[in-house]
DNA sequence: GCACAGAGGGAGAGCGCTCTCCGCCGCTGA
DNA sequence: TCAGCGGCGGAGAGCGCTCTCCCTCTGTGC
């Protein structure tokens, strides 16, 4: 197409020349600083449009020490990534997409850009901190996928503005957002009981994951308030297959089960599959309730009764906290906890 | 925690001082350029580690005119984004996650970073081009979600290295990767026919989407080769609900239907739901085949027979093409078409 | 008439890096 | 012995911007 020379893009200097003013004045106009004669203001903008000027990001960053972008950092354990070159297990999970959507919803209007970073190995973790310190992003929202993650600590120690998505397993001086997992689980318990379930089981997540712990505790406490001292529980890992296996195991232990709480929707869907194969009607014979209210909840049949986890709002708030901290590093470390809500559909 | 002053991070100059050499030499060592005395080499690295030096990205970008990152740009039409503040419809779709996974799988080892950009409005499109021209990324993989998108053209005209994910609706001088949609659809047709289906219908996607057109054409041609001149077809929009509605409509038109090809898995799953409600056994009474081989294919019951769309590999290849073009802008515009494959499960 | 304030705009340093140019040094060949 | 050469390292310009300093110019008060 165009065989012409790469037409070096216009600089401030070029605009200044066209407008007949100094570089400094153009800079002032563009950044809206100080009083500039309205007439000159106009002239400068005209010159900007005439030349097609766009500020050079690197040059600006160099002097302002700001990049105008934040990072979404996914910190996973090594063994996961190694087994799955595409990390599709995670990226395909609605969890990721909902967080990205929430993050972008607040970033978009502000013009701040988003970088996506991954840290699977310890080496990568160190590299990420270096990158962050030297101008890849002004701050970072951390999505830590395994408990005992050292990354939040590294980042906090490096003085990089950061906000965690979800309570950290190890207490760390970083702000975080979370959902009241315990309260959500309690809602699930109340709902099953109100429905008349009497023998209720749990398909939990990994025991060391904070969200899993909180949901478990909340559910058990609510059940205890109703006199249910012991709740059979099997451990899953938040996958469809583990929900299916968990359901079978639970039923083997407690054949008279009439209600199940799965700690996420995917496992709840797995449980429903197992129940169908065993010819137990859902919800009439066994009621199933999930957690998250993500896509599987609507795609499953019967549709899942679940606890809504407002991930988009949480992600949006995380970014707001982050931006506040970037703008004023003295902002206190804080946590924002969102209220879950029960979404009643057909499975319970 | 640390109330100390922000300890200005070390610069090349600092490292040079520690190593007792010039700035230029440190730069050479770090960038692995030219022959540097092995002994000095060693000394410099020691100094780098001692000072904890990390190159400043902005400064480097400023002179090299490279950012060391590429963008994944999602170009959507305005009406979508407006209705869905989080764009969750798209980000939650396994499509997005698989592409991100594929992109990161090749980016990670190279140390190139990923920026995520969104362009919903025309205004945003112009802004994106400006950002791209001035140092937000060295190139861009474009995920265009609506036909007639002007963005690829804008980007091509701006001379920004770019690769499209999927054939553009409007011919544009940009490299792209795609799957042989027609061949995949033909495989689906052959499979249904081999199974003994005689009255086969299609649940298509929007008529103006290239992937939809190609699948439709491929399917029809394959059917024609077997003497099926007319195939009933209803139009969906790639969602679960549209698959369900499409199935009902199809069945109303053609009650004797014994096979259905849905242009993606989500619609296939919807079709299965409809069939269950209408008490038609899948696959015995009606065989259902999808396209993509994404998560719904495994989550549905019965599990879906589908055509595998190697999105991760395609995304990876797109990035490789992009990087090649960034490194050598004279690289020719090309297209890489991937072969689909049939994945036989239980629904057909 | 003059000091002074205050606002607007220009000059120029400098952010941290890369890269060209050049000089030094030790070696080779005549 | 000396020009020539090639390898290695230093000096320094300059990437495009922001921002401080300072100069100029107008308007005000005494």
């Amino acid at each position: 197409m165009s065989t012409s020379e790469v037409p070096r893009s216009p600089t401030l200097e070029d605009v200044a020349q066209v407008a007949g003013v100094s570089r400094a004045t153009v800079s002032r106009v563009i950044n809206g600083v100080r009083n500039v004669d309205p007439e000159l203001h106009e002239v400068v903008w005209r010159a900007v449009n005439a030349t097609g000027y766009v500020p050079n990001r690197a040059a600006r960053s160099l002097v302002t020490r700001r990049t105008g972008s934040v990072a979404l950092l996914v910190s996973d354990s090594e063994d996961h990534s190694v087994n799955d070159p595409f990390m599709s297990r995670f990226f395909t999970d609605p969890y990721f997409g909902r967080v990205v959507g929430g993050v972008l919803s607040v970033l978009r209007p502000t013009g701040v850009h988003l970088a996506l970073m991954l840290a699977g190995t310890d080496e990568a973790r160190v590299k990420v901190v270096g990158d962050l310190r030297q101008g890849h992003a002004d701050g970072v929202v951390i999505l830590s996928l395994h408990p005992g993650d050292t990354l939040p600590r590294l980042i906090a120690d490096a003085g990089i503005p950061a906000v965690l998505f979800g309570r950290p397993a190890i207490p760390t001086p970083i702000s975080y957002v979370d959902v009241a997992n315990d309260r959500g689980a309690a809602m699930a318990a109340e709902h099953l009981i109100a429905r008349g379930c009497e023998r209720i089981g749990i398909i939990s997540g990994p025991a060391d994951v904070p969200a899993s712990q909180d949901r478990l505790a909340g559910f058990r406490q609510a059940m205890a308030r109703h006199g249910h001292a012991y709740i059979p529980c099997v451990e899953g890992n938040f996958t469809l297959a583990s929900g299916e296996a968990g359901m079978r195991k639970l039923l083997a232990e407690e054949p008279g089960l009439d209600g199940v709480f799965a700690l996420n929707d995917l496992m709840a869907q797995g449980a429903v599959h197992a129940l169908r194969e065993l010819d137990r009607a859902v919800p009439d014979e066994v009621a199933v309730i999930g957690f998250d209210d993500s896509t599987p909840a609507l795609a499953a049949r019967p549709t899942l009764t679940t606890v809504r986890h407002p991930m988009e709002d949480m992600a949006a708030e995380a970014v707001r906290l982050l931006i506040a901290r970037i703008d004023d590093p003295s902002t206190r470390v804080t946590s924002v906890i969102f209220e879950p809500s029960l979404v009643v559909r057909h499975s319970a």
Side-chain angles (χ1 to χ4, degrees), chain A:
Chain A
M1 205 56 32
S2 65
T3 50
S4 65
E5 266 307 294
V6 182
R8 188 183 58 78
S9 36
T11 70
L12 258 197
E13 193 69 56
D14 300 327
V15 179
Q17 202 134 17
V18 171
V21 298
S22 76
R23 211 169 57 238
T25 301
V26 179
S27 177
R28 284 188 196 107
V29 170
I30 286 179
N31 297 298
V33 183
R34 279 225 317 215
N35 313 329
V36 174
D37 186 303
E39 202 167 316
L40 265 190
H41 197 275
E42 176 70 12
V43 171
V44 168
W45 273 119
R46 228 194 299 281
V48 166
N49 290 328
T51 53
Y53 173 76
V54 180
N56 179 302
R57 192 190 192 216
R60 181 176 278 179
S61 287
L62 186 56
V63 31
T64 59
R65 298 172 173 287
R66 285 293 203 82
T67 65
S69 63
V70 300
L72 178 62
L73 173 52
V74 179
S75 178
D76 194 13
S77 64
E78 191 155 3
D79 32 318
H80 275 194
S81 343
V82 168
N83 293 334
D84 183 351
F86 298 131
M87 278 203 54
S88 48
R89 196 185 322 183
F90 175 66
F91 291 126
T92 298
D93 195 304
Y95 185 84
F96 174 65
R98 291 177 66 185
V99 170
V100 168
V103 165
L104 283 177
S105 73
V106 0
L107 249 30
R108 216 170 356 157
T110 64
V112 174
H113 283 256
L114 179 63
L116 209 56
M117 299 183 160
L118 225 62
T121 62
D122 277 340
E123 191 192 353
R125 268 179 264 282
V126 171
K127 186 179 177 315
V128 157
V129 173
D131 285 348
L132 249 20
R133 280 202 320 152
Q134 282 301 339
H136 274 261
D138 298 330
V140 56
V141 172
I142 307 175
L143 227 60
S144 190
L145 301 186
H146 66 292
D149 190 355
T150 54
L151 191 53
R153 173 108 252 157
L154 284 175
I155 288 184
D157 289 348
I160 299 161
V163 176
L164 289 173
F165 192 86
R167 175 170 74 82
I170 308 167
T172 310
I174 299 188
S175 293
Y176 68 88
V177 297
D178 208 343
V179 64
N181 283 297
D182 51 351
R183 292 240 273 281
M187 289 175 184
E190 300 290 349
H191 182 72
L192 288 176
I193 286 171
R195 248 192 148 264
C197 295
E198 306 207 313
R199 323 194 71 167
I200 299 175
I202 301 179
I203 303 175
S204 87
D208 49 2
V209 172
S212 190
Q213 295 165 351
D214 295 351
R215 288 175 200 174
L216 212 52
F219 193 79
R220 286 207 165 113
Q221 278 164 26
M223 292 302 287
R225 279 197 293 277
H226 288 274
H228 294 262
Y230 172 73
I231 313 286
C233 174
V234 298
E235 186 172 321
N237 63 1
F238 292 132
T239 63
L240 188 77
S242 78
E244 192 160 348
M247 189 68 241
R248 288 176 191 282
K249 210 162 140 200
L250 219 43
L251 232 32
E253 275 179 34
E254 185 72 41
L257 216 68
D258 60 1
V260 176
F261 174 44
L263 263 56
N264 77 342
D265 289 339
L266 220 45
M267 293 197 296
Q269 192 180 8
V272 169
H273 288 166
L275 288 166
R276 186 188 339 278
E277 278 176 27
L278 296 169
D279 271 327
R280 306 262 191 140
V282 177
D284 295 339
E285 293 175 61
V286 183
V288 176
I289 189 163
F291 202 110
D292 281 352
D293 191 25
S294 53
T295 36
L298 274 170
R301 285 297 177 282
T303 53
L304 298 180
T305 290
T306 186
V307 177
R308 176 153 186 85
H309 184 165
M311 296 188 200
E312 292 89 351
D313 299 319
M314 288 165 59
E317 180 63 19
V319 173
R320 271 182 229 111
L321 289 177
L322 181 61
I323 289 179
R325 190 165 182 95
I326 290 170
D327 288 342
D328 176 9
S330 68
T331 309
R332 279 193 47 220
V333 166
T334 165
S335 57
V336 179
I337 310 297
F338 285 73
E339 281 307 310
S341 58
L342 192 70
V343 180
V344 179
R345 296 207 181 85
H346 299 298
S347 72

